[in-house]
Each structure stands twice: as structure tokens, then as C-alpha cells.
Amino acid sequence: MGRCYLPHNCRATTEHYLRHAPASPLIVLGIESSCDDTAAAVLRDTGDGPADILSNQVYGQTDLHAAFGGVVPEIAARAHAEKLDVMVEAALSEARVAIQDIDAIAVTAGPGLIGGVMSGVMCAKGLAAGSGKPLIGVNHLAGHALTPRLTDGLAFPYLMLLVSGGHCQFLVVRSATRFERLGGTIDDAPGEAFDKTAKLLGLSQPGGPAIEKAAIQGDPTRFALPRPLLDRPGCDMSFSGLKTAVLRARDALIDRQGGLTRQDQSDLAAGFQAAVTDVLAVKTRRALQLAEVPAFAVAGGVAANSAIRQALRREADEAGASFAAPPLALCTDNAAMIAWVGIERFRLGLLDDLTLAARPRWPLDPDARPMLGSGKKGAKA
Ligand code: KG4
Ligand code: ZN
């Protein structure tokens, strides 16, 4: 049991807040800094209907890392440390609340790039210690996985597919604290594969939108690209071989004709996108069969791709499950999702104290096999 930070120094933090904190409404500040976005948000939840997002501030670091071809952990950590207080102030001010009006401070405590996670946790601890408000450590992946409850009021249980530049996994979300991982990528995340493929086709970054645009004019059947791991049972996926297959096809064209035409670029982009779509669709079908749940939700930047989104929606329809895809600003990294997990945990009495640790790895499902690789944007689980 933790220690309460209020002046009277009650020793039973969880019990104390359950007993004394207002049942509703709750106002929670969320802080996120596990990758390359410094974010702070304030949510108010009355416990009756959807929570209000009073503010949702995100400072993206893309420009700081652009020259290096990936997120540089030291640069990210330094930028988070410099920007966190600014973002918290901006979030409080946009929400028109003072720190005294907040019921709890929720912060991403992992998984992610450890320097960034530590910056956020230290910032949140400082705020908690200074204001006497309770602290709630949040798993970043739980933030993504519970977002459909904030945006669509989804009831437990449901199947979740996280597909972004750093994540790729199927989770059965049974409660705010129980997640079952059915499978995930064994190498690159799909967004990472989109980015690398765009780079080798000479398209701009981020690669996802660039490939989607180029693919519109392309013939997805011109190049025979693989659908990795479809021949293997289960829900694990692999995307790095697909990227290598595009590289080989590109090099063969360059050898033959000295370069790529715009049509070649479009055909390769379309072929790659179709292969990723097929893999995600087939694995979703299997996951829906295994999960036997009434709803399916997606999150992550790759879910912005309309071909992928359509294919996933079709799979949900065919399985008789409802489909939820939160708006993009809440699908990608943000602090509103962290504040939302804070609200869910607060209502369960799950508070932390100043001993909260930053964790580079923190699987949502402790019983699942560890995922391979650390990923371009930090640990995958
Ligand atoms: O969720 P997100 O903003 O950040 C993290 O990875 O945490 O996802 C970014 C990834 C990038 O790799 C980007 O290329 C990909 O999502 N992405 C897309 C699209 N828009 C963004 N991939 C495919 N199609 C898109 N339209
Ligand atoms: Zn994320």
C-alpha cells in the first residue's frame, strides 16, 4: 500500500482516495513521452456518458530526428525534458483548470525509450509531490488499447489491433487490467515497413501516406510480393521480408532500365500495400475467430490507411463483430489516452506512489511470449 501525499499523511493511498475522492466527476491530467511525442492532456469524466477531452496537446519531435533516419533516444529524452512542463502548462491552460482542480496525474511509465519515459515519470512525480495529488503509472499500450472506450464507449471484451510505426499486436481486452495477446509482429511493425519501403522507392517520409498516395495510380498485381507467415497458423506477423522483396524488385528494375519510372514506383507501392493489407486481413480473421468477442477496434497510424481500414472493417462485418476506429489524433501517440487509462485505474482504486518506476519493457500480457526485436521506436512490448 502506498502513502498518501496529502498533508495529513494518511498511509493508505488507494483506500484513502476511494473513500474521500469525489465519485464523479473526475479530472485527470495525462502525460506521455515514451517515444517521439511530448504530450499532455486533461480529461473530465462524470462516469455517465463519454469523458470530455478538455485539452490534448502534442508536440511532435519528427523534425529533430529527420536527419538521422529514425528516433535518436538521447535527442528524444532531452527534448522531452525541455518540453514536458511547457506541454503540461499548455494542457492545463487550454482546459481552463489549475493543478489544484486535478484529481490525479497519470503518466506513461513504459514501455518505450527509457530516457523519455523517465523524463515523463520524473515530471509527473514532481507535480504529484508538489500538489499532493495521486500519481497513476500507465502502460502506453494500455493507452492505445483502451482508447475505443473513450471514443466509442466500447464495452469489454473486444479485440484490438494496434498497428503503428512502433507497435503491431492483437489483444483481447477483457478489462482495464486484463489483456491477452494473441499475436504480433516478429520483426518490423507495419508502419516501420511502410517507412522503409517508401525510402527505398524514393518517396517522402512518413512513408505510409506517401505509399498510399503513390498506390492509387499503381497496379498491385504487377509484382508478385510475398504474404509472410500466412502459411503458419496463429496470429503472428512478419513485415521485414516484404520490404526486402520490394528492394529486390526495385534493384532488378534498376539493373534492367537504369532507374524507376513513376509507374514502377506506383506499382511497387500498390503491390506492397496490397500485401500488408492481405496479411493484416487474414490475421484479423483468425484473431476474431480465436477471440470470440462482439467488437473489433484498431488503433495506430497505419489504421489511417483507407485500403487497410476497409479490409479490416470487412473482416469485422464478416465475423459479425462491430468495428471501431478512433479518430486519427487519438489513434496515434497522445496523452488523452493516458489520462483515460488514469480515469479507469482511479475508478478501480489502482493508484501509485513516488516509488513508481519507468520501465523500458512492460508487456500488457505477462503470460505471452516476449516479442522479438526492440523496434525503431523503442521496445515493442
Ligand atoms: O501511431 P503512429 O503515429 O506513431 C507510432 O508509431 O507510434 O504511427 C506512425 C506510423 C508511421 O510509420 C507511418 O508511416 C504510418 O504510421 N502511417 C501510415 C499511414 N499514415 C501513417 N501507414 C500506412 N498508410 C497511411 N495512410
Ligand atoms: Zn504508441
Side-chain angles (χ1 to χ4, degrees):
M1 186 71 67
R3 200 177 59 83
C4 167
Y5 312 130
L6 292 180
H8 62 260
N9 212 19
C10 151
R11 289 202 60 81
T13 306
T14 303
E15 217 179 286
H16 170 92
Y17 280 101
L18 282 180
R19 200 151 12 105
H20 302 298
S24 63
L26 275 181
I27 301 181
V28 171
L29 168 69
I31 296 174
E32 156 64 34
S33 58
S34 64
C35 185
D36 57 351
D37 293 298
T38 315
V42 177
L43 260 61
R44 183 178 49 213
D45 181 49
T46 59
D48 180 23
D52 294 320
I53 301 175
L54 302 183
S55 62
N56 188 17
Q57 297 275 338
V58 182
Y59 168 77
Q61 300 177 355
T62 312
D63 293 349
L64 298 179
H65 304 286
F68 304 97
V71 178
V72 182
E74 291 77 8
I75 294 177
R78 187 174 290 261
H80 286 305
E82 282 169 5
K83 270 278 188 270
L84 274 161
D85 56 341
V86 180
M87 301 312 286
V88 167
E89 263 185 42
L92 291 173
S93 134
E94 190 196 342
R96 297 177 184 277
V97 294
I99 194 84
Q100 289 75 23
D101 305 321
I102 299 280
D103 292 297
I105 297 157
V107 62
T108 300
L113 300 171
I114 192 61
V117 179
M118 281 169 66
S119 303
V121 168
M122 293 310 286
C123 171
K125 282 185 182 177
L127 287 167
S131 65
K133 304 294 178 181
L135 181 68
I136 303 175
V138 170
N139 183 309
H140 175 89
L141 300 169
H144 284 301
L146 296 176
T147 298
R149 290 174 51 71
L150 166 65
T151 57
D152 295 74
L154 216 58
F156 300 121
Y158 56 90
L159 176 70
M160 180 82 208
L161 170 61
L162 299 183
V163 267
S164 71
H167 323 296
C168 181
Q169 51 186 306
F170 287 104
L171 293 164
V172 183
V173 185
R174 300 221 175 264
S175 75
T177 55
R178 234 181 102 215
F179 306 87
E180 250 167 65
R181 207 187 75 209
L182 299 182
T185 183
I186 59 166
D187 42 53
D188 289 354
E192 202 173 345
F194 265 99
D195 294 340
K196 289 176 179 169
T197 302
K199 201 168 175 185
L200 61 90
L201 292 180
L203 298 168
S204 58
Q205 295 293 317
I211 289 200
E212 183 169 15
K213 191 157 167 246
I216 295 170
Q217 313 294 335
D219 170 7
T221 61
R222 177 173 158 204
F223 297 94
L225 297 174
R227 269 61 175 160
L229 293 196
L230 284 197
D231 53 340
R232 247 198 257 168
C235 300
D236 279 344
M237 291 163 280
S238 159
F239 296 97
S240 85
L242 182 53
K243 167 204 68 197
T244 310
V246 174
L247 176 69
R248 290 219 189 86
R250 179 203 73 172
D251 288 349
L253 285 171
I254 293 175
D255 281 350
R256 212 164 50 236
Q257 57 194 41
L260 292 189
T261 65
R262 191 168 289 265
Q263 192 59 50
D264 295 333
Q265 252 180 350
S266 292
D267 292 344
L268 281 167
F272 169 80
Q273 182 176 278
V276 175
T277 306
D278 282 354
V279 171
L280 290 173
V282 171
K283 295 288 175 168
T284 295
R285 197 174 311 156
R286 285 186 199 165
L288 279 164
Q289 273 164 9
L290 284 170
E292 295 181 318
V293 289
F296 174 50
V298 290
V302 179
N305 184 291
S306 46
I308 292 175
R309 203 182 263 244
Q310 261 176 36
L312 298 179
R313 182 185 291 276
R314 202 163 39 238
E315 293 303 329
D317 286 349
E318 275 167 25
S322 68
F323 180 74
L328 195 60
L330 296 173
C331 260
T332 55
D333 286 354
N334 66 86
M337 68 180 189
I338 304 305
W340 172 251
V341 181
I343 288 168
E344 297 240 36
R345 294 184 73 84
F346 192 106
R347 296 219 183 275
L348 294 170
L350 299 171
L351 305 180
D352 292 286
D353 60 25
L354 294 182
T355 61
L356 176 69
R359 300 171 63 172
R361 284 190 176 263
W362 185 0
L364 273 181
D365 178 354
D367 299 329
R369 270 179 302 109
M371 310 270 275
L372 298 178
S374 65
K376 172 185 72 149
K377 295 187 166 188
K380 289 194 171 88

